[in-house]
Amino acid sequence: MNFSKAKEYIVSRLLKELPKNLFYHAAHHTFDVVKQAQTIGKSEGISNNEMFILLTAAYFHDAGFLFKYQFNEPEAVMLAREVLPEMEYVQEEIEEICKIILATDIKVQPNTLLEKIMCDADHDYFGREGYSQTADNLRKELEEYGTSFEDKEWLEVQINFLEEKHQYYTETSKLSRIPNKNKIIAALKVALINSI
């Protein structure tokens, strides 16, 4: 596999072609996910080959936004299947990358360690400083694409998502992110009480 060629290709497209009104799913989100995937992957002790598979998936995971907003993961998979053979990725590697990308859909349960690392990297910000700014960017983006929230409703949506729908899968993320995630949930609950 020619990882540097794949990276160069997708970074160029994300920077040039992503819609300007993606305030959350812009290229900076992809770069953050790549960085977190690398950090978690190292901590989880994956091999060099696994790291290249994981990072390729991380670079491509939101490439579907180049084509459409809703249900974009299959679009990212189609693009990966189309271009990665030209970058010397073999079929087995491409299929693994596609499964990792599809695991980032919140309705999908990650199975392999690489899928779990990818999901944790994608939602790493749920447990770190700067959460509220990132969440505000997501709210602004959702409004651009037709889903708006009252302040109280937005607080409820976040609390429900963080408490009921989201979980960290790797030991690395559980140890490093859950304590702060719990503080964020507590702060959101205080804000909700104050908004009533």
Side-chain angles (χ1 to χ4, degrees):
M1 76 180 91
N2 188 336
F3 171 72
S4 56
K5 193 175 174 187
K7 172 186 168 182
E8 192 180 316
Y9 166 84
I10 197 61
V11 166
S12 171
R13 287 202 67 180
L14 294 174
L15 289 171
K16 287 180 190 157
E17 298 176 41
L18 279 176
K20 296 291 174 255
N21 62 353
L22 288 177
F23 304 111
Y24 172 82
H25 289 105
H28 64 77
H29 167 70
T30 295
F31 303 148
D32 180 62
V33 171
V34 168
K35 183 181 164 197
Q36 302 311 328
Q38 194 164 17
T39 302
I40 300 165
K42 273 185 190 164
S43 178
E44 293 288 320
I46 65 174
S47 70
N48 280 347
N49 194 56
E50 287 173 320
M51 183 66 86
F52 284 123
I53 296 277
L54 175 67
L55 295 184
T56 304
Y59 273 112
F60 275 81
H61 87 284
D62 275 346
F65 285 101
L66 292 165
F67 310 104
K68 63 191 283 197
Y69 192 74
Q70 299 284 357
F71 312 112
N72 56 79
E73 293 89 359
E75 301 286 334
V77 163
M78 275 168 52
L79 181 65
R81 286 200 174 114
E82 183 188 322
V83 302
L84 291 178
E86 298 161 27
M87 291 147 192
E88 299 155 53
Y89 284 72
V90 297
Q91 197 57 40
E92 192 183 337
E93 292 166 340
I94 294 167
E95 286 314 307
E96 191 171 3
I97 288 162
C98 291
K99 281 181 186 158
I100 296 168
I101 292 169
L102 291 172
T104 63
D105 181 334
I106 197 67
K107 296 184 288 299
V108 174
Q109 183 76 18
N111 294 312
T112 67
L113 178 58
L114 296 189
E115 288 170 15
K116 289 173 181 177
I117 293 169
M118 182 68 209
C119 289
D120 285 357
D122 199 16
H123 291 141
D124 185 75
Y125 79 95
F126 289 170
R128 68 174 199 244
E129 297 302 315
Y131 167 83
S132 58
Q133 179 58 58
T134 308
D136 287 347
N137 287 343
L138 178 58
R139 180 182 182 183
K140 192 173 161 190
E141 179 180 298
L142 289 169
E143 285 176 0
E144 281 283 311
Y145 286 86
T147 309
S148 58
F149 301 90
E150 297 296 326
D151 290 349
K152 179 175 172 283
E153 187 188 7
W154 179 239
L155 289 166
E156 289 168 344
V157 164
Q158 290 177 84
I159 293 164
N160 177 262
F161 192 86
L162 292 175
E163 276 195 323
E164 304 298 327
K165 296 190 174 141
H166 173 259
Q167 68 180 92
Y168 284 117
Y169 297 98
T170 63
E171 287 309 307
T172 303
S173 293
K174 285 176 186 173
L175 288 169
S176 66
R177 295 297 183 235
I178 286 179
N180 207 49
K181 179 185 166 184
N182 289 337
K183 285 182 193 166
I184 289 165
I185 293 168
L188 289 167
K189 285 181 174 176
V190 169
L192 181 61
I193 289 163
N194 291 338
S195 75
I196 294 166

